[in-house]
Amino acid sequence: MKTQFDILKKSRELILKVIDGLTLEQLHKIPDGFKNNITWNVAHLVVTQQLLLYKNSGLNCLIPDDLIEDFKKGTAPTTTFTEEEFNDVKELLIGLPETLEEDFNAGIFENYKEYPTSTGFVLDSFKTAVTFNNFHEGIHFGVILALKKLV
């Protein structure tokens, strides 16, 4: 599992590196042909990791409910972040993987509710969900790279 946690941490470091220096206007821009923007993708990754790994394990998510409602699967950008608000999201993006690993090492992930993903893959354990979450993060990292070229 250590490798999976390291992959998650590294992918998030790469995301922050890629978006560093972009203005709030660039971060919120939705280019033609896209349904979302960079801020939505970043917040969506924070939310999805919490839902897949904590909620499906029967645990409370470590993020505000309104963030979940605004950025869960099936949503579209409706929020415009201030710089301070987006900094808070970026802190969650970079900090939550460490908390996840600590919680895993503490043994809190005892149960997992089976979850069929929109890709058709069924998550049947916490370990499978961590691996799938990394796959999901990679997809959105690619989207963020594409969005950056157009903003």
Side-chain angles (χ1 to χ4, degrees):
M1 286 301 294
K2 175 94 174 99
T3 301
Q4 292 296 330
F5 295 133
D6 289 347
I7 290 168
L8 177 60
K9 291 173 195 173
K10 179 52 85 177
S11 71
R12 290 184 172 197
E13 288 172 13
L14 290 170
I15 289 168
L16 290 183
K17 185 177 179 180
V18 164
I19 67 172
D20 186 48
L22 296 177
T23 66
L24 276 178
E25 182 181 342
Q26 290 172 308
L27 292 166
H28 286 99
K29 182 176 180 173
I30 303 174
D32 290 341
F34 284 81
K35 297 178 186 175
N36 51 50
N37 55 32
I38 292 171
T39 59
W40 184 91
N41 278 274
V42 171
H44 175 71
L45 291 177
V46 170
V47 167
T48 300
Q49 181 249 335
Q50 289 291 295
L51 294 175
L52 288 179
L53 303 175
Y54 283 83
K55 183 178 180 192
N56 287 350
S57 294
L59 302 168
N60 291 327
C61 292
L62 306 177
I63 58 176
D65 290 340
D66 60 330
L67 194 66
I68 293 171
E69 286 305 310
D70 289 345
F71 297 98
K72 65 185 178 184
K73 178 176 69 173
T75 63
T78 58
T79 301
T80 301
F81 290 109
T82 64
E83 193 157 334
E84 181 181 340
E85 290 168 335
F86 193 58
N87 284 338
D88 290 345
V89 171
K90 291 189 294 186
E91 285 181 23
L92 291 170
L93 184 80
I94 207 71
L96 287 172
E98 189 66 41
T99 304
L100 176 68
E101 186 173 13
E102 290 169 3
D103 287 345
F104 174 78
N105 291 334
I108 73 166
F109 297 102
E110 297 176 355
N111 302 302
Y112 195 83
K113 180 183 172 189
E114 192 173 273
Y115 177 76
T117 68
S118 57
T119 65
F121 190 80
V122 177
L123 306 181
D124 59 2
S125 70
F126 175 81
K127 290 180 180 182
T128 303
V130 171
T131 302
F132 182 85
N133 184 69
N134 284 345
F135 164 73
H136 176 260
E137 299 245 347
I139 291 170
H140 285 276
F141 180 59
V143 171
I144 290 167
L145 288 172
L147 287 166
K148 183 181 179 184
K149 288 182 178 184
L150 300 172
V151 299

